[in-house]
Amino acid sequence: MRAVCPGSFDPITHGHLDIVRRAGALFDEVIVAVGRNSAKNYLFDTDQRVDMVRASVADLPGVRVEVLSGLLVDFCRAQGAEVVVKGLRFASDFDFELQMAHINHSLTGLETVLLPASAQWGTLSSTMVREVASLGGDVSAFVPALVAERIEQKRNARG
Ligand code: ADP
């Protein structure tokens, strides 16, 4: 069975990677779908986010990365994926994911599997990483080395 792990990945964190890895153990193939939403104000543009995700999952067999624009159910149908895998951190994730799961199932029968976030990364978010990074903090414990490097480069470029 083929699964999709969608998200913004702005930037990808160890929390995302944990979910992708675990999805890889449950399904034959995993497509990490990097969202491109014109209404969102990203720190990293689509190419940069895709590039960082590709590098971070390069050692995971059966995992590939694609750009997601438009409806998730349409993307999944086009990719021949029957299931979406999302990570659940706090109650607010659940409230949101339940609505998404219901509407996606109503639209095309797409199934959703919700994996509890691991204890280690259970409250980590890209938003927190961006916040800490923008205030000059060290985020290297939370993101792959390449991502920490890119954040540092961005910071240096901005002066
Ligand atoms: P974020 O919420 O961190 O900005 P995304 O919008 O990219 O990230 O989220 C995509 C998916 O990744 C969501 O299902 C979200 O719950 C999951 N996710 C994000 N961070 C973690 C984490 N630390 N542990 C488990 N799942 C996570």
Side-chain angles (χ1 to χ4, degrees):
M1 210 181 237
R2 191 173 291 160
V4 169
C5 289
S8 309
F9 306 100
D10 188 31
I12 187 164
T13 69
H14 286 315
H16 291 124
L17 274 176
D18 179 65
I19 296 294
V20 171
R21 227 177 254 122
R22 287 161 62 199
L26 293 171
F27 298 97
D28 304 309
E29 260 181 75
V30 174
I31 302 168
V32 183
V34 179
R36 178 170 52 196
N37 180 344
S38 56
K40 279 204 180 179
N41 208 350
Y42 297 110
L43 173 63
F44 291 99
D45 67 28
T46 308
D47 287 350
Q48 292 170 325
R49 286 180 288 123
V50 166
D51 190 49
M52 288 186 283
V53 175
R54 281 222 169 100
S56 305
V57 304
D59 61 335
L60 301 179
V63 177
R64 65 187 162 88
V65 183
E66 302 284 346
V67 173
L68 164 64
S69 47
L71 269 183
L72 180 61
V73 290
D74 292 338
F75 175 85
C76 289
R77 190 168 262 171
Q79 296 286 338
E82 301 102 322
V83 61
V84 168
V85 178
K86 304 294 292 280
L88 269 192
R89 290 162 295 184
F90 1 75
S92 53
D93 273 354
F94 180 76
D95 290 348
F96 179 69
E97 296 303 344
L98 189 63
Q99 292 180 66
M100 294 292 293
H102 283 161
I103 200 140
N104 287 338
H105 192 263
S106 309
L107 287 169
T108 61
L110 180 67
E111 290 289 5
T112 300
V113 168
L114 299 175
L115 291 181
S118 69
Q120 191 178 5
W121 310 117
T123 62
L124 179 61
S125 67
S126 297
T127 307
M128 283 296 152
V129 167
R130 289 196 303 272
E131 184 78 13
V132 170
S134 73
L135 296 170
D138 177 8
V139 294
S140 57
F142 313 119
V143 296
L146 173 92
V147 175
E149 257 167 52
R150 296 283 164 89
I151 287 173
E152 191 61 34
Q153 283 164 5
K154 213 175 242 301
R155 223 165 15 200
N156 292 338
R158 281 177 181 175

